[in-house]
Amino acid sequence: MAPALRYLGGACARARGGFSGALAWGWGPAPGAPWPLGRGGRRASTSSFDVVIVGGGIVGLASARALILRHPALSIGVLEKEKDLAVHQTGHNSGVIHSGIYYKPESLKARLCVQGAALIYEYCNQKGISYKQCGKLIVAVEQEEIPRLQALYERGLQNGVRGLRLIQPEDIKKKEPYCRGLMAIDCPYTGIVDYRQVALSFAQDFQEAGGSVLTNFEVKEIETAKESPSRSKDGVTYPIVIRNTKGEEVRCQYVVTCAGLYSDRISELSGCNPDPRIVPFRGDYLVLKPEKRYLVKGNIYPVPDSRFPFLGVHFTPRMDGSIWLGPNAVLALKREGYRPFDFSARDVMDVIIKSGLIKLVFQNFSYGVNEMYKALFLSATVKHLQKFIPEITVSDIRRGPAGVRAQALDRAGNLVEDFVFDGGVGDMGNRILHVRNAPSPAATSSLAISGMIADEVQQRFNL
């Protein structure tokens, strides 16, 4: 059972307690219509639900699935602002099934990742979803990295990561013939999958169990219901009103938000504390040209810098056979800004005025400049990649896709790495649970996270 939320006073109570630390399907709804129901599903009301989940990414869909499987008698709906599901963080990540080696021992982040990886493999086997357990090498290329690599190995053992071993240069060559390194951690349990395909499978499970998905529903207001003109009991039975940008509304008893890049704004809409603020970091990938794919067999990662939650530029095979190189980590000037010059004045002003970004910049100025330099100049990124595979040249790569990470940042300029839940106080606040920060490896951990969210919802709302 997940720990109960603690009331800390103010508009919202925050519980970090214990939270340490495509195959794109070609079908979709008509604009403004519910997402197509799977066979055998029942259509819940599109105007009122017992529970509403705001956000149709992998965490929101996994949570909706977990809730309806536990509580099949409840009417549960998912609201998604886009016309399709899982198109942002879920649809723009590297697709790695992480093993759980990086995270603080005994933290929930470590436990949920190890547990979540096993659940993802099991789920994919059950559903016939393709994946590749291609493994990963974390490679030290400088002498000073070896103590950090050995410490990371010990951490992985403490976390219960399966199959780890420290290997020497000759064994590195056996695993990755074109990779050089002084020492490496072999993580055979790491894999790759198309997380959007997984998320859409969660959605199908949810709908076949009776859930409803409403797309093109961008939440604008969350408020307590007033007496309806027809004097029906909706205002009593379904006391929360969620209204979209087109003036349409749904009513519900309880709300769970999994809004990713907009989690702070959705929390604020409901009268809860907007802190920690979301700062969007764009990660640009390069793509290895097809004729050079033979250089990489599995995932190849650098020894991470423990000061940051980013894992560094790495080599990642994809389910379609391509090889992605990256990502970097640069400030995005728009929350869904996947191109370098995408810009939103509101998003930029929010980051500058309302978050601790300025303090973060001053604390890590050289790191930020280096990331920006690598983003601008391919040769700088290639120089880093050549530390691992010297044969790679600028002519072997091209610019690829990008993702935007929803990184929570406190006002002191600290990157929030823990899972963060917000729960409100008062008539409406007591009916809302905000999933405020579900950082990487949230996709790997999604089934484990959803179980914890379902526990929290059940306990908090007495379902």
Side-chain angles (χ1 to χ4, degrees):
M1 179 71 70
L5 293 176
R6 295 178 289 114
Y7 293 98
L8 303 181
C12 251
R14 175 167 302 113
R16 296 186 193 179
F19 284 82
S20 294
L23 176 64
W25 292 3
W27 49 269
W35 193 265
L37 283 170
R39 290 174 295 178
R42 61 176 175 81
R43 183 179 296 278
S45 168
T46 58
S47 61
S48 58
F49 300 94
D50 296 314
V51 181
V52 161
I53 289 88
V54 177
I58 195 167
V59 173
L61 294 170
S63 299
R65 173 183 177 274
L67 283 169
I68 205 163
L69 292 179
R70 287 195 194 187
H71 305 283
L74 295 181
S75 61
I76 301 176
V78 171
L79 307 181
E80 167 55 43
K81 73 182 182 68
E82 305 293 351
K83 66 182 179 66
D84 295 311
L85 296 171
V87 297
H88 288 297
Q89 291 190 102
T90 305
H92 287 83
N93 63 54
S94 62
V96 174
I97 302 173
H98 290 283
S99 63
I101 190 173
Y102 295 105
Y103 316 111
K104 184 179 178 180
E106 299 183 3
S107 67
L108 277 179
K109 197 171 182 182
R111 181 167 63 83
L112 290 174
C113 185
V114 173
Q115 179 186 352
L119 291 172
I120 284 288
Y121 283 128
E122 180 182 358
Y123 182 83
C124 290
N125 286 331
Q126 290 174 350
K127 296 292 181 176
I129 296 173
S130 297
Y131 65 87
K132 296 177 184 176
Q133 196 171 316
C134 54
K136 173 171 67 178
L137 295 184
I138 304 172
V139 183
V141 294
E142 306 288 350
Q143 196 67 38
E144 56 266 27
E145 293 177 334
I146 291 179
R148 283 162 42 206
L149 184 78
Q150 292 172 326
L152 187 62
Y153 171 73
E154 294 297 330
R155 171 172 284 195
L157 294 179
Q158 291 179 61
N159 289 344
V161 178
R162 292 168 47 182
L164 292 183
R165 62 191 186 112
L166 279 172
I167 61 175
Q168 302 302 317
E170 58 272 17
D171 288 322
I172 295 175
K173 288 290 185 184
K174 290 177 183 178
K175 298 281 290 188
E176 293 286 351
Y178 296 92
C179 180
R180 64 173 289 271
L182 302 177
M183 184 182 291
I185 301 173
D186 180 15
C187 308
Y189 198 57
T190 299
I192 55 172
V193 73
D194 184 333
Y195 278 119
R196 184 159 191 258
Q197 185 182 4
V198 174
L200 294 179
S201 182
F202 291 166
Q204 187 172 12
D205 293 344
F206 170 65
Q207 291 174 295
E208 288 179 348
S212 291
V213 176
L214 301 181
T215 56
N216 287 317
F217 198 104
E218 182 174 357
V219 175
K220 182 181 180 182
E221 298 175 358
I222 304 175
E223 62 183 18
T224 304
K226 301 177 178 63
E227 184 180 1
S228 63
S230 63
R231 298 185 181 276
S232 71
K233 294 183 180 180
D234 276 3
V236 176
T237 306
Y238 304 104
I240 303 298
V241 177
I242 304 175
R243 194 169 290 110
N244 69 10
T245 53
K246 295 175 285 189
E248 301 164 339
E249 64 180 45
V250 299
R251 296 192 174 202
C252 60
Q253 295 191 60
Y254 305 105
V255 182
V256 179
T257 72
C258 303
L261 285 157
Y262 292 91
S263 61
D264 53 344
R265 291 183 184 170
I266 294 295
S267 179
E268 194 169 18
L269 281 180
S270 69
C272 286
N273 194 334
D275 293 323
R277 290 286 181 176
I278 293 298
V279 176
F281 282 91
R282 192 183 74 252
D284 301 306
Y285 287 94
L286 304 175
V287 178
L288 200 59
K289 290 183 177 179
E291 60 269 25
K292 294 292 184 175
R293 290 175 182 173
Y294 69 88
L295 293 172
V296 180
K297 293 184 177 295
N299 295 281
I300 303 173
Y301 277 61
V303 180
D305 187 332
S306 59
R307 295 174 299 167
F308 304 102
F310 314 112
L311 300 180
V313 173
H314 47 268
F315 302 76
T316 298
R318 300 279 294 174
M319 290 300 298
D320 63 2
S322 62
I323 305 292
W324 285 12
L325 316 172
N328 55 15
V330 297
L331 179 67
L333 301 180
K334 185 179 180 182
R335 293 203 180 199
E336 292 163 358
Y338 300 108
R339 295 170 298 185
F341 298 106
D342 284 347
F343 178 83
S344 163
R346 180 188 178 187
D347 291 350
V348 171
M349 294 306 294
D350 272 1
V351 165
I352 294 173
I353 296 173
K354 298 179 179 179
S355 76
L357 178 68
I358 301 301
K359 294 179 181 177
L360 176 69
V361 169
F362 280 112
Q363 292 165 7
N364 304 282
F365 184 76
S366 61
Y367 179 88
V369 169
N370 184 51
E371 288 296 301
M372 291 180 65
Y373 183 76
K374 287 192 294 185
L376 291 172
F377 300 102
L378 285 182
S379 59
T381 302
V382 169
K383 185 177 180 180
H384 173 78
L385 295 170
Q386 286 172 336
K387 294 180 180 180
F388 301 88
I389 299 182
E391 286 83 354
I392 286 181
T393 66
V394 173
S395 63
D396 295 331
I397 61 175
R398 59 177 176 82
R399 292 195 180 274
V404 179
R405 175 187 178 120
Q407 178 60 58
L409 187 67
D410 67 23
R411 290 186 178 270
N414 299 310
L415 298 169
V416 180
E417 299 182 49
D418 298 346
F419 294 100
V420 179
F421 282 179
D422 274 349
V425 294
D427 290 343
M428 184 167 69
N430 285 330
R431 293 178 175 271
I432 296 178
L433 178 65
H434 296 292
V435 181
R436 292 295 304 279
N437 192 43
S440 179
T444 299
S445 306
S446 55
L447 286 171
I449 294 171
S450 70
M452 180 159 288
I453 290 172
D455 287 342
E456 191 62 60
V457 167
Q458 183 171 328
Q459 178 173 304
R460 178 171 175 77
F461 301 149
N462 296 315
L463 297 182

